[in-house]
Amino acid sequence: MTNCKAIAVFGFLLLAASGLAATPPDDEYASKSGVRVRRFPISPATPHCAQMKTNRMYQHCWFFPRFGDVDAKPGLELFYIKGTAEHTAYSHRGELLWRWSDPKKRPSAVRVDTNVPIFDLDGDGRLDLIVFRHYQDEKAPRLCRLDAATGKTLAWSPEPLSLSGKHGDTRLSLIPARLGGKRWSLVLHDDYAQIIAFDADLKRIWTRPITGLGHTTEAVDLDRDGVDELYCGVALLDAAGKAVWNRSDLLKGTGEWHPDTNPIVMSKGAPRLFFGPGARMLDAKGKIIWSLKGQRMTEVQSARVLHRRDGDPSIVLTDLPAKRTLTWRGMRMRSIDSVSYFLDPDLQVVGRGAGCHVPITGDWTGDGNDELILLDKDLRHLLVIGSDAKTIARIPIQQRVYVSDIRTAPILPGSKGDQIIMHQWSADWRKAYCVIIENTKAAGRLRKWDQIKSARWTAY
């Protein structure tokens, strides 16, 4: 601990040299050798929403960045979409590109960690941002298509959305999908309740209620006919919303009533569909082809895919066995202590790592292989862990608990690895900052930025 002060000072000097906003040293992001920290202020607005209200326990959710390359200049831009209440866009240097806020100051009609996509919906070569907004005095929101570069409104859905609000939850995930024809479609995942499909004109195509629905729908062309199927954990739907198969029976005996993350990976040329409760893998027909044996797992809340430069990907399963509570900024809440199980491409456990939920992935080292990034149990460091379960970096950060806002992307010009993008609160909650953590020793073998993959990304 003798070098902590020197580390903090070095981090402060990096921030000062970059010309970005700085706060007192005791609220600094420190830096280790090879780590550069950049920071700029962002809007600290925290709108009301029905489920969370303005409870400070949920302040991680107000800052859930999206990325897109909206101009010909090097680097990506950031977008903070706070439900139906406020939408802002920034350059990677911290310049405010545009800002919109609800003129009526209404509570957000959807949760502010609702996922929205940035991609070229209409094929005109410009990125679209599809958000949720109120139209005039309507109570229910509509889909609204924006020009991502300017924030200009381009189109509205023809009718308000019919959302369930099941269990008092209004978190949604909106993802691009190929459901037939030459144009993109949109799939709205309404947590715990239903899947709704829209065409490129934002017109509703179909609605499908799903029993046991969790948080994530994956759009993937399993039979390679040019049209996506939709895997939502408990069921596989075709492009018309018809159930190809339903495996809600897999929830029985697990103690869970819905799956959380359910990624699809290609292994040895065949798709494998992960089903979290019970840690199982299905084939394209819904048949169980693998389950994790010999491990005492209680609540598998995330499954992360670590893509590799050569060969099949690895998977990390993060279990959440925590029972204790902790205190953060004077608030008592459930601990999110977790255990992550690192599986090789043959689905054999090669190691375990302690940390906190929710982990993310990214190529921090820039070698073409993903790493797992998660909060350390001390709540004051981020761990960067390779697919072999060995820690590559331990980065000092401001103390935090929930981490679902953290993202990775090659946001800086000339990126040789993914940067870690997160937010920071001032001690009095009055100011918020975007923080970009860069590995200056990254190898430069980073995979090409994939806008569609980013548009389909969700923290859950």
Side-chain angles (χ1 to χ4, degrees):
M1 300 298 289
T2 57
N3 64 341
C4 286
K5 184 175 181 180
I7 290 174
V9 170
F10 184 44
F12 179 82
L13 290 175
L14 285 172
L15 289 164
S18 68
L20 301 176
T23 53
D26 61 355
D27 199 23
E28 282 294 329
Y29 276 75
S31 176
K32 296 172 70 174
S33 177
V35 177
R36 179 181 293 124
V37 184
R38 306 164 189 250
R39 179 173 54 180
F40 56 81
I42 54 178
S43 168
T46 53
H48 288 255
C49 67
Q51 184 182 11
M52 298 176 178
K53 298 183 171 56
T54 54
N55 191 333
R56 289 292 184 189
M57 286 177 62
Y58 299 105
Q59 292 308 298
H60 65 295
C61 289
W62 309 121
F63 300 95
F64 185 31
R66 290 84 174 168
F67 308 102
D69 187 2
V70 301
D71 55 31
K73 300 176 183 178
L76 303 178
E77 287 71 48
L78 300 96
F79 300 81
Y80 288 95
I81 311 301
K82 301 175 184 177
T84 62
E86 183 192 62
H87 308 151
T88 54
Y90 298 88
S91 74
H92 63 270
R93 295 179 297 273
E95 301 158 326
L96 178 64
L97 303 179
W98 56 263
R99 177 180 181 270
W100 174 91
S101 61
D102 181 3
K104 295 182 180 294
K105 307 298 181 185
R106 287 165 285 200
S108 179
V110 300
R111 260 176 47 170
V112 290
D113 55 346
T114 286
N115 191 60
V116 300
I118 301 172
F119 74 112
D120 185 4
L121 173 63
D122 58 1
D124 66 353
R126 294 176 63 87
L127 291 186
D128 300 291
L129 171 60
I130 300 89
V131 298
F132 298 87
R133 285 186 183 176
H134 287 286
Y135 182 76
Q136 298 180 353
D137 292 324
E138 292 174 345
K139 184 177 181 180
R142 297 191 186 204
L143 295 181
C144 181
R145 181 167 66 90
L146 311 176
D147 182 327
T150 65
K152 179 183 177 181
T153 299
L154 300 176
W156 292 88
S157 57
E159 59 185 5
L161 301 176
S162 180
L163 304 176
S164 73
K166 195 171 184 178
H167 303 287
D169 201 316
T170 56
R171 185 198 164 269
L172 313 173
S173 189
L174 189 65
I175 62 170
R178 295 288 191 183
L179 300 184
K182 295 181 179 179
R183 300 200 298 171
W184 283 99
S185 301
L186 291 165
V187 173
L188 191 157
H189 179 109
D190 187 353
D191 270 18
Y192 310 130
Q194 59 189 352
I195 306 295
I196 309 174
F198 298 85
D199 64 19
D201 297 318
L202 308 184
K203 181 179 179 180
R204 186 177 65 86
I205 307 171
W206 51 259
T207 299
R208 171 67 63 178
I210 304 287
T211 300
L213 188 66
H215 298 298
T216 308
T217 292
E218 297 279 344
V220 61
D221 184 3
L222 290 175
D223 54 12
R224 300 180 182 178
D225 63 353
V227 178
D228 286 336
E229 286 74 42
L230 304 172
Y231 175 53
C232 56
V234 291
L236 182 71
L237 307 182
D238 66 16
K242 180 181 178 180
V244 179
W245 49 258
N246 188 309
R247 294 303 313 267
S248 56
D249 60 293
L250 294 179
L251 293 168
K252 295 179 180 179
T254 65
E256 299 183 52
W257 57 278
H258 68 271
D260 287 330
T261 48
N262 38 266
I264 299 174
V265 298
M266 295 298 295
S267 178
K268 297 178 175 60
R272 290 176 170 177
L273 288 62
F274 184 77
F275 186 84
R280 285 167 281 185
M281 198 76 74
L282 314 177
D283 65 13
K285 296 182 179 180
K287 179 183 177 181
I288 298 174
I289 57 175
W290 172 87
S291 61
L292 184 63
K293 304 294 185 181
Q295 307 292 336
R296 299 183 61 183
M297 306 182 82
T298 58
E299 186 180 357
V300 181
Q301 281 215 334
S302 79
R304 298 301 190 217
V305 180
L306 300 182
H307 293 284
R308 301 192 305 157
R309 186 176 65 252
D310 302 312
D312 290 339
S314 302
I315 293 180
V316 182
L317 308 181
T318 298
D319 191 32
L320 197 61
K323 301 296 183 183
R324 68 185 180 93
T325 59
L326 52 80
T327 300
W328 177 66
R329 290 198 169 195
M331 295 175 287
R332 297 285 290 173
M333 62 186 71
R334 177 192 179 188
S335 166
I336 53 171
D337 293 347
S338 64
V339 178
S340 291
Y341 296 76
F342 290 75
L343 279 59
D344 65 18
D346 293 322
L347 301 178
Q348 299 297 311
V349 177
V350 296
R352 300 192 304 176
C356 293
H357 186 62
V358 181
I360 61 168
T361 65
D363 187 1
W364 165 258
T365 60
D367 63 355
N369 302 314
D370 283 340
E371 292 85 37
L372 191 79
I373 300 167
L374 74 162
L375 184 67
D376 198 351
K377 290 182 67 174
D378 69 358
L379 309 180
R380 295 179 181 275
H381 293 82
L382 288 181
L383 301 175
V384 180
I385 307 176
S387 60
D388 58 0
K390 295 180 180 179
T391 299
I392 296 170
R394 188 168 182 263
I395 305 168
I397 61 170
Q398 182 191 56
Q399 184 183 12
R400 58 195 294 128
V401 178
Y402 294 107
V403 291
S404 61
D405 64 294
I406 296 180
R407 293 289 307 271
T408 59
I411 192 170
L412 301 176
S415 292
K416 294 185 176 182
D418 281 330
Q419 286 86 56
I420 299 171
I421 299 95
M422 54 195 297
H423 84 278
Q424 171 187 0
W425 278 108
S426 64
D428 60 6
W429 299 98
R430 294 183 180 180
K431 295 180 180 180
Y433 300 90
C434 171
V435 179
I436 301 173
I437 306 175
E438 179 186 14
N439 178 9
T440 62
K441 296 184 178 181
R445 301 177 71 180
L446 190 66
R447 294 185 301 276
K448 184 179 179 181
W449 170 252
D450 188 330
Q451 190 67 60
I452 296 299
K453 180 180 177 182
S454 177
R456 288 174 166 173
W457 184 91
T458 178
Y460 302 99

